[in-house]
Amino acid sequence: MMTDEIPFWKSKTLAEMSPSEWESLCDGCGLCCLNKLEEWDSGDVYFTSIRCKLMDGESCRCTSYPNRWDFVPDCVQLTPEKVPELEWLPPTCAYRLVNDGRDLYWWHPLISGDPETVHIAGVSARGRTVSENDVDLDDFEDYVVDWPLTVEDDMLPNPPAKP
């Protein structure tokens, strides 16, 4: 039997989502777990290719998600209230897209049914990062990158053709 049910991300606001719906919006790109530098004078935020010590560089997932604040006390908890204020969220971030009334991309696991498509589309941090444990804090400026904010420009417009 066909159903015309509207997906929750199109029918609910971020604040109306259940905890499991909220968590499923994360596409697993890992971009929010990259270290960022902020200019004191301007407030401008710059991404680095340095990942949080808890982020797995291959899966782009937190290795201790439920207990992350025990190891990273300043880890930012995304909430419906914070999403509009976090200008550094990547343009492809599902939380940002839903908050702005836009749909998810074809590669989002909720659309594709496959958590690997975010990596196949080239919009994740997979293979592009180093752990913060391997970089001296004084050298973070040497790792500033712009690709987390330009991934939308570079991504595939449609799903790749099946072989």
Side-chain angles (χ1 to χ4, degrees), residues 9-108:
W9 62 89
K10 290 183 178 184
S11 63
K12 295 182 178 184
T13 66
L14 293 175
E16 293 170 335
M17 292 181 188
S18 70
S20 63
E21 290 169 336
W22 175 267
E23 291 295 326
S24 72
L25 270 187
C26 176
D27 59 30
C29 71
L31 299 180
C32 63
C33 297
L34 298 178
N35 280 270
K36 292 161 265 319
L37 301 175
E38 183 176 357
E39 272 191 25
W40 291 106
D41 296 341
S42 66
D44 291 343
V45 175
Y46 299 93
F47 276 85
T48 71
S49 58
I50 303 168
R51 68 181 179 269
C52 170
K53 63 186 172 186
L54 295 180
M55 182 179 136
D56 179 283
E58 184 63 20
S59 72
C60 295
R61 294 289 186 165
C62 184
T63 58
S64 189
Y65 187 70
N67 305 308
R68 61 194 181 278
W69 292 292
D70 293 344
F71 306 100
V72 183
D74 59 347
C75 178
V76 175
Q77 169 74 44
L78 285 183
T79 64
E81 299 76 31
K82 286 184 186 172
V83 168
E85 300 169 7
L86 297 174
E87 294 184 24
W88 51 260
L89 284 175
T92 54
C93 176
Y95 298 101
R96 170 177 270 189
L97 293 171
V98 170
N99 188 67
D100 293 348
R102 297 174 59 202
D103 201 0
L104 305 180
Y105 288 101
W106 66 265
W107 46 260
H108 192 287

Side-chain angles (χ1 to χ4, degrees), residues 91-160:
T92 54
C93 176
Y95 298 101
R96 170 177 270 189
L97 293 171
V98 170
N99 188 67
D100 293 348
R102 297 174 59 202
D103 201 0
L104 305 180
Y105 288 101
W106 66 265
W107 46 260
H108 192 287
L110 288 171
I111 303 288
S112 70
D114 182 356
E116 283 298 304
T117 51
V118 66
H119 308 298
I120 293 167
V123 295
S124 77
R126 178 181 280 173
R128 303 184 193 201
T129 64
V130 296
S131 173
E132 66 186 5
N133 288 337
D134 298 330
V135 180
D136 187 272
L137 188 56
D138 292 337
D139 295 332
F140 272 38
E141 287 181 2
D142 297 338
Y143 290 83
V144 169
V145 293
D146 67 353
W147 53 260
L149 297 173
T150 62
V151 289
E152 189 175 41
D153 302 333
D154 299 335
M155 58 183 254
L156 300 170
N158 296 302

